[in-house]
């Protein structure tokens, strides 16, 4: 019954911001490192950001460092991806992933275009 339910995707202009959410259930979220991936058309799936179970440590792909912030609220069983200064090359389907648990969200489309 593991579920990862994403929301927050959509169409945004270059330079704009979006906040993605992934609501988790069916496992002990507070013990689980979480990740965000993305996949653009014709490209390999790319690891965007990671966060440890406590939220104390985060890591980012070089392509998003300084623009994206991963965070979590363990009381709400939710992981977030705040995306600022968006670029057209950020256009992709974004997925959350529960590390070691091995479950993926359904994906949410982010399109950055004028």
């Amino acid at each position: 019954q593991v579920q990862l339910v994403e929301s927050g995707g959509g169409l945004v202009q270059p330079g704009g911001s979006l906040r993605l959410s992934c609501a988790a259930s069916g496992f002990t979220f507070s013990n689980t490192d979480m990740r965000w991936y993305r996949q653009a058309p014709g490209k390999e799936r790319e690891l965007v950001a990671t966060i440890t179970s406590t939220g104390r440590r985060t890591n980012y792909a070089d392509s998003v460092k300084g623009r994206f912030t991963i965070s979590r609220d363990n009381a709400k069983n939710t992981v977030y991806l705040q995306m600022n200064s968006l670029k057209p090359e950020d256009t992709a389907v974004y997925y959350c992933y529960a590390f070691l648990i091995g479950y993926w969200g359904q994906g949410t489309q982010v399109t950055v275009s004028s």
Side-chain angles (χ1 to χ4, degrees):
Q1 199 187 355
V2 171
Q3 284 192 308
L4 300 170
V5 180
E6 300 175 347
S7 61
L11 175 65
V12 65
Q13 291 185 325
S17 297
L18 285 173
R19 179 179 168 93
L20 306 184
S21 299
C22 179
S25 61
F27 63 98
T28 306
F29 179 80
S30 61
N31 289 344
T32 304
D33 291 3
M34 298 296 295
R35 296 176 171 179
W36 285 97
Y37 289 80
R38 67 186 182 186
Q39 188 166 26
K43 295 189 176 182
E44 300 290 330
R45 190 168 296 188
E46 174 190 19
L47 177 61
V48 174
T50 64
I51 188 166
T52 55
S53 60
T54 63
R56 293 194 195 118
R57 293 186 297 277
T58 59
N59 287 283
Y60 300 92
D62 288 342
S63 58
V64 307
K65 196 170 297 182
R67 300 187 298 119
F68 290 13
T69 302
I70 188 171
S71 61
R72 66 193 298 156
D73 186 341
N74 284 350
K76 296 181 178 180
N77 284 3
T78 302
V79 62
Y80 305 95
L81 187 67
Q82 178 67 46
M83 305 184 295
N84 298 327
S85 302
L86 283 162
K87 305 174 181 179
E89 51 263 45
D90 296 318
T91 296
V93 178
Y94 284 72
Y95 302 88
C96 64
Y97 177 75
F99 185 64
L100 294 182
I101 302 297
Y103 277 79
W104 296 84
Q106 80 283 1
T108 185
Q109 176 71 49
V110 172
T111 303
V112 185
S113 176
S114 59

